[in-house]
Amino acid sequence: MGAAIPSYDVDLYSDEVLAEPYPHYKALRDAGPVVWLPRNDLYAIARYKDVRESLRAHKVFSSAEGVAANEAANQGSKGTTIASDPPDHTAMRQVIGAPMLPSRLALIRPRIEEMAGALVERLVAQRDFDAVTDLAQHIPVNIVSELVGLPEQGRQNMLKWAAATFDMLGAANDRCAAAQDSIREMRSYVINEATRDKIRPGSWISKIYDASDRGLFPESRCPVLMRDYLGPALDTTIFAMANIIWLFGRFPEQWDLVRADPALIPNALNEAVRLESPIRGFTRQLTADHDIEDVRIPAGSRVALFYASANRDERKWEAPEAFDVRRKVNDHVGYGHGVHTCAGMHLARLEIHSVLAALVPKVERFEIGATVPAINNVLRGFSSVRVRVH
C-alpha cells in the first residue's frame, strides 16, 4: 500500500494565488511528491524531477482527454494538437510545427531582426514606453498574424482570443466562464471566416489545408488546428519578453553582464523563462495506476503538472529564486517537455533574442515604473510594465 497523499486546501486558481503563486508552489513541493487539491479536485505534482518525468511519460500521463483543470474545456478541446496523444498528435504536430522549425525560421530571421531594430530605435528615442503593449506585443502580433495568413478582420482579436484560450484551460471559475464568449467567437471565425478562399496563399493556415488534401486528416479538422496558431503563439511570447525586461530592470547587474557579452542572450532568455515561467502548467489524465516515490496515483485521476513550480525547485536549482544569466538552464520545463514541448519555442526565442540584441548597444539601464499583473488561469505575466530607458 502506498503512502498517504497530503492535501493542500487552497484554490490554486484563485486571484490571490495567481497574484503571488510562489509560496504556494513551495508548500506543494515541501508537502510531498504528490499532493491532493480538494478545492480543485486535482492531484498536483510540483517538484522538478517528477514534473519532467511525468511529461516524458505521455502514455500514462495522457493529453487525449484534455489538459484543462475543468471537464467542460477538456471535452471541448478534444482533437486539438494540445489535447491529443501520438500517433494523432504526431501527425498534427508535423503540420503545425513545420513552419516554426529552426530551418524554416532562418528564412524569416532577417525580417524579424529588421522589425526588432526599427521598434527598439523608436522606443529608445521615446525613452518611456510600456514593455508589454509597446514592445512585447508588437513583433508577435505583426509577424504571427502575417505568417498565419488570417483575413484582416480577425487579426485585431488575436490577443483577446489567446488570453481566453488559456483562461478556459484553468479551473471552472469566473474567469473560465467569462472566456466562453471569446472562445465561441474564435470558433465561429475559424469555421466561417478563415476559410480556404480568404486566407493568404502560402501562409501557415494554407499548409493545414494542403496537409488535408494529402489525406493526413479530414478537411473538417482544419478549423480546429487553426486554433493552435491563434492562442499559444502569442501570449506566451509576449509575457516572456515583458518578463525579461522587468527582470533586467530589477537586476541591473545582470543586464550589465549581457551588455558586456551579448553571447549570454540565449542563456539569459532561458533563465528568465525558468524564473518567471509564462505557463504555470497543464493537467493530464492517468491511463494506469502510477507510482511516484512511495505514492500511488490511481488510474483515471486528473493531475496538474506545475511547470512554474518545477522551475524553482530547490532540489534542482541552487538559489532558485535568483536571476542569474550565467546559470546553465537548458533543461528547464518552461516550454514543457517531451512530445508536447511548445511547438513555437524556437519562434519565441528568435523574437525575444532579436529584441534584446537590438537593445544591447542602445540601453544602459531599464528603470521600471508602474506594473499591472495579468491575472489568467494558466499564464503568468504583466498586462502593463512602464519602463524608462537610460
Side-chain angles (χ1 to χ4, degrees):
M1 185 173 180
I5 299 178
S7 292
Y8 191 62
D9 192 20
V10 173
D11 178 4
L12 267 289
Y13 296 90
S14 67
D15 287 5
E16 294 77 15
V17 173
L18 295 179
E20 190 53 52
Y22 298 120
H24 298 282
Y25 294 157
K26 187 176 190 312
L28 291 176
R29 294 193 302 268
D30 290 345
V34 182
V35 180
W36 173 246
L37 303 176
R39 302 280 187 99
N40 305 119
D41 199 25
L42 294 168
Y43 291 98
I45 297 177
R47 294 176 180 174
Y48 173 86
K49 176 178 176 290
D50 302 325
V51 168
R52 186 176 169 90
E53 290 180 355
S54 299
L55 289 170
R56 289 179 64 86
H58 64 268
K59 291 182 180 179
V60 176
F61 288 81
S62 172
S63 300
E65 297 299 318
V67 299
N70 72 89
E71 191 55 29
N74 285 326
Q75 291 300 318
S77 63
K78 283 186 179 181
T80 60
T81 310
I82 196 173
S84 60
D85 287 329
D88 290 343
H89 172 79
T90 306
M92 292 185 287
R93 173 75 175 236
Q94 287 174 345
V95 175
I96 295 296
M100 295 180 285
L101 293 172
S103 58
R104 300 284 186 88
L105 293 176
L107 301 175
I108 63 171
R109 177 186 291 273
R111 284 180 48 224
I112 292 178
E113 290 176 345
E114 180 182 5
M115 182 180 292
L119 175 65
V120 166
E121 187 83 32
R122 174 168 58 81
L123 294 180
V124 169
Q126 290 178 201
R127 291 284 189 262
D128 291 280
F129 57 88
D130 193 308
V132 179
T133 57
D134 297 330
L135 178 68
Q137 289 180 1
H138 184 85
I139 294 178
V141 169
N142 283 280
I143 284 288
V144 170
S145 62
E146 178 184 336
L147 295 175
V148 168
L150 292 177
E152 191 67 36
Q153 65 268 28
R155 296 183 182 184
Q156 69 273 16
N157 292 316
M158 289 178 71
L159 288 175
K160 177 178 72 171
W161 293 340
T165 297
F166 286 105
D167 265 333
M168 183 190 69
L169 295 176
N173 53 21
D174 289 345
R175 268 183 303 280
C176 180
Q180 297 308 310
D181 285 345
S182 293
I183 296 299
R184 283 190 286 269
E185 182 183 71
M186 178 179 70
R187 289 175 177 169
S188 174
Y189 175 81
V190 297
I191 292 171
N192 301 313
E193 298 296 331
T195 51
R196 173 172 265 177
D197 58 315
K198 295 179 182 177
I199 61 173
R200 185 172 62 80
S203 64
W204 292 358
I205 291 179
S206 74
K207 303 300 183 186
I208 296 177
Y209 283 108
D210 292 345
S212 173
D213 292 342
R214 297 196 303 272
L216 291 181
F217 41 77
E219 186 167 330
S220 60
R221 180 69 65 85
C222 292
V224 176
L225 296 183
M226 284 182 214
R227 285 152 49 186
D228 288 335
Y229 289 141
L230 300 185
L234 289 173
D235 272 5
T236 50
T237 305
I238 291 166
F239 281 7
M241 193 180 300
N243 285 347
I244 198 168
I245 299 299
W246 177 72
L247 285 168
F248 280 133
R250 290 182 62 211
F251 303 99
E253 75 284 355
Q254 298 299 311
W255 180 241
D256 291 341
L257 291 171
V258 171
R259 291 186 69 224
D261 182 9
L264 285 172
I265 289 176
N267 211 68
L269 202 164
N270 269 329
E271 172 70 343
V273 171
R274 179 199 69 81
L275 184 61
E276 291 290 340
S277 303
I279 295 179
R280 302 174 68 223
F282 294 116
T283 74
R284 299 288 192 267
Q285 184 162 302
L286 262 61
T287 60
D289 291 353
H290 185 75
D291 295 336
I292 297 181
E293 296 183 12
D294 58 348
V295 176
R296 171 156 294 184
I297 315 174
S301 298
R302 178 66 60 177
V303 182
L305 305 176
F306 285 106
Y307 308 173
S309 172
N311 282 337
R312 289 191 175 211
D313 188 355
E314 304 84 350
R315 297 156 190 82
K316 166 66 177 175
W317 315 103
E318 185 178 347
E321 296 184 2
F323 179 50
D324 182 358
V325 299
R326 293 168 297 188
R327 190 197 303 267
K328 300 304 180 186
V329 283
N330 292 334
D331 53 350
H332 69 77
V333 292
Y335 295 114
H337 185 61
V339 299
H340 282 281
T341 299
C342 176
M345 172 180 67
H346 299 297
L347 175 60
R349 284 173 167 164
L350 173 57
E351 292 171 332
I352 299 170
H353 187 285
S354 298
V355 168
L356 293 178
L359 287 165
V360 160
K362 296 183 178 298
V363 174
E364 183 175 311
R365 182 167 60 88
F366 300 98
E367 180 185 340
I368 305 300
T371 61
V372 180
I375 302 298
N376 184 281
N377 277 336
V378 173
L379 299 173
R380 176 168 171 81
F382 297 97
S383 60
S384 176
V385 177
R386 297 303 308 180
V387 178
R388 180 171 179 81
V389 293
H390 298 269

